[in-house]
Amino acid sequence: MGSGFAGYTCARLLERWLRPDEAEIVLITPKDYTLYLPLLPQVAAGVLQPRSIVAPLHTGLRRTKLLPGVAMDVDLDRRRCEVLKISGEVTSVPFDVVVLAPGSMTRTFDIPGLKEHARGMKTLAEAVFLRDHAIAQLELAASSSDPAERAARCGFVVVGGGYSGVETAATMQLVTRAALARFPGLDPGLLRWTLLDIAPKLMPELGEQLGDAATRLLRKRGVDVRLGVTLESMTDTSAKLTDGTALPTRTVVWTAGVTPRPVVSSLGTETAKGRLVVGPDLQVPEHDGVFGLGDAAAVPDLTKPQGGVCGQTAQHASRQAATAARNAIAALRGGRMRAYRHRDLGLAVDLGGRDAVARPLGVDLSGPLAQLVTRGYHLLTAPSGRSRFRISGDWLMNMCAGDDLIRLDFLKDSPGTLDELEHMPIKVRSRHEQKAGLRQ
């Protein structure tokens, strides 16, 4: 279940390690591609083309049966999974072994105006929409004679000081600043990017030194980094912060954390902060042949003496997939289960241009060297050779020719909000459940 780092990698390994006549592999996912999430901000910035960071499932998986739909409910007693297909039909899929890797979605709170007006950065559609939206705001600001409208359209707010929020603010600020040269009648002083986080530091996982280095760089570029404060409410023209400040803006990008997909709660087993509780072998306790991994599972981190769970990173998800595949086969054949153990290799954050911060194997790096390490890491972990080739070509083209600043307008008839682009499958599911009387 799921075609992200965990689900896609697990399916590929099952194809490799299972005999063709030994088992049928079914992959449940609404997409026909696997997405390389870490590079979404570069798609929004126009550095990479959307298709460069995806790999088609039809070419990556040869024997797996693809079921295009969203998993709604997993019945562990009957060993069946109910799926809402993209056609709107519901089908029931039996299983002997189930690997739950549905991934996560942007976590939202009950903040007035958030679902109606905020944008996300978790899907390809959201990244493409944000780019078009940002360029459109500058075009509309340049054509307006209303000072209040100009200020709101040139004001951009990013909520969330994690990797996604920092990379989005950093790369998009460079794009919009460069775009001002196309609008000579627009005062460059109107452009304002604000990055908010309720925590006292940006990206604490990177350590204090690199987090501070990233903060200084962003502020030097002109990004207004505000810590210890977050969004209280918003309208289509302004954002009110918890410190009482009101910012004129038509663009709020919400990246304040993720939460597992709703199907996780349908199992009725123990969860921790919404994540499925599993053992070191990735198996749900007291349920043989039921595995959880990736963002949706709280996997014990055996490398930490003090305990805790593994981070929600691609690095862990892809490696958990190998353990899950081996243990799924062991469940079929009656073999020995293996425990998942992986020591974190470090983190890398692209800040746009020649700037980045990275901590490979515990070594703190910043600047061009960190950027080299960051891009090298992305090329190593991209989902396919074709993706690596396209990513390399896009980077070279952007470095030599720059950005055309063209709006594609693929989603011009969509409001482009979190509620529309990311949470729509949940609304469809709820409507169908109410109509058909399915169990939540």
Side-chain angles (χ1 to χ4, degrees):
M1 185 185 303
S3 59
F5 288 103
Y8 175 67
T9 304
C10 185
R12 291 191 68 182
L13 294 175
L14 287 173
E15 282 193 349
R16 185 183 305 172
W17 295 337
L18 281 170
R19 297 186 305 273
D21 60 346
E22 191 172 5
E24 178 187 45
I25 307 168
V26 179
L27 179 61
I28 302 169
T29 172
K31 308 293 186 185
D32 64 352
Y33 57 81
T34 184
L35 173 67
Y36 190 72
L37 274 171
L39 289 177
L40 271 183
Q42 293 198 32
V43 171
V47 176
L48 297 177
Q49 297 301 312
R51 67 175 182 170
S52 297
I53 65 168
V54 301
L57 299 179
H58 298 287
T59 57
L61 300 172
R62 300 296 185 180
R63 291 194 290 118
T64 300
K65 176 183 177 182
L66 301 181
L67 180 55
V70 178
M72 299 191 301
D73 182 274
V74 179
D75 190 328
L76 297 180
D77 296 327
R78 296 174 56 228
R79 309 292 278 192
R80 302 188 76 86
C81 176
E82 285 183 342
V83 179
L84 176 63
K85 297 169 71 173
I86 59 175
S87 62
E89 305 167 79
V90 172
T91 186
S92 182
V93 184
F95 62 83
D96 297 293
V97 174
V98 62
V99 178
L100 296 142
S104 59
M105 55 193 290
T106 302
R107 177 183 61 190
T108 58
F109 300 100
D110 191 19
I111 296 175
L114 179 66
K115 288 186 177 180
E116 295 83 2
H117 304 296
R119 323 290 173 184
M121 183 52 71
K122 194 77 170 68
T123 69
L124 201 57
E126 287 175 325
V128 172
F129 182 91
L130 181 61
R131 173 174 172 78
D132 282 359
H133 174 80
I135 295 173
Q137 296 314 298
L138 297 182
E139 292 174 349
L140 290 167
S143 66
S144 174
S145 57
D146 182 352
E149 181 183 355
R150 281 189 162 201
R153 294 197 183 279
C154 291
F156 300 87
V157 178
V158 179
V159 185
Y163 308 116
S164 180
V166 169
E167 289 188 333
T168 299
T171 55
M172 292 299 291
Q173 191 264 351
L174 287 180
V175 170
T176 51
R177 188 179 68 185
L180 289 178
R182 309 284 181 93
F183 307 103
L186 200 57
D187 180 6
L190 287 175
L191 182 66
R192 185 189 66 257
W193 278 86
T194 305
L195 177 61
L196 311 174
D197 198 277
I198 194 65
K201 297 282 185 180
L202 291 182
M203 303 177 295
E205 299 89 343
L206 274 176
E208 185 173 347
Q209 181 177 343
L210 288 182
D212 288 346
T215 303
R216 288 194 300 270
L217 175 64
L218 291 174
R219 285 174 170 162
K220 183 179 179 180
R221 286 186 185 172
V223 177
D224 182 7
V225 180
R226 302 192 185 191
L227 301 173
V229 63
T230 189
L231 186 69
E232 182 176 288
S233 64
M234 64 175 295
T235 67
D236 59 343
T237 58
S238 67
K240 184 179 179 182
L241 311 187
T242 51
D243 63 0
T245 305
L247 300 176
T249 180
R250 299 264 184 157
T251 310
V252 174
V253 185
W254 180 266
T255 64
V258 296
T259 186
R261 294 282 175 180
V263 68
V264 169
S265 62
S266 76
L267 275 71
T269 60
E270 184 182 359
T271 59
K273 296 183 178 179
R275 299 169 73 182
L276 189 66
V277 172
V278 298
D281 59 0
L282 308 182
Q283 198 162 215
V284 176
E286 300 180 7
H287 292 282
D288 294 341
V290 179
F291 300 92
L293 62 157
D295 284 0
V299 178
D301 191 341
L302 301 183
T303 66
K304 295 180 179 179
Q306 69 274 23
V309 297
C310 297
Q312 293 170 294
T313 63
Q315 183 181 149
H316 278 295
S318 58
R319 287 166 175 79
Q320 288 167 9
T323 300
R326 294 185 185 279
N327 289 348
I329 294 172
L332 289 174
R333 297 175 177 171
R336 180 178 63 88
M337 297 287 172
R338 304 186 182 193
Y340 173 73
R341 181 188 297 270
H342 170 67
R343 189 173 299 279
D344 204 307
L345 298 178
L347 300 163
V349 182
D350 193 323
L351 299 176
R354 297 184 300 170
D355 295 310
V357 290
R359 198 178 190 187
L361 302 174
V363 179
D364 289 350
L365 299 174
S366 60
L369 180 58
Q371 182 64 285
L372 182 65
V373 170
T374 298
R375 296 202 166 184
Y377 170 77
H378 288 317
L379 287 179
L380 283 173
T381 54
S384 69
R386 183 180 298 178
S387 292
R388 297 184 189 98
F389 182 77
R390 284 178 170 162
I391 290 169
S392 300
D394 287 350
W395 280 338
L396 181 61
M397 180 65 72
N398 184 264
M399 182 177 65
C400 296
D403 190 346
D404 291 330
L405 290 172
I406 296 173
R407 283 186 290 114
L408 299 177
D409 282 342
F410 288 150
L411 298 166
K412 64 179 181 179
D413 296 324
S414 168
T417 60
L418 273 168
D419 204 38
E420 177 73 17
L421 296 183
E422 194 173 332
H423 294 175
M424 182 58 74
I426 300 173
K427 295 194 293 182
V428 172
R429 165 193 170 179
S430 299
R431 287 199 300 267
H432 185 88
E433 288 177 337
Q434 291 170 6
K435 181 178 178 181
L438 296 177
R439 179 163 65 91
Q440 287 279 358

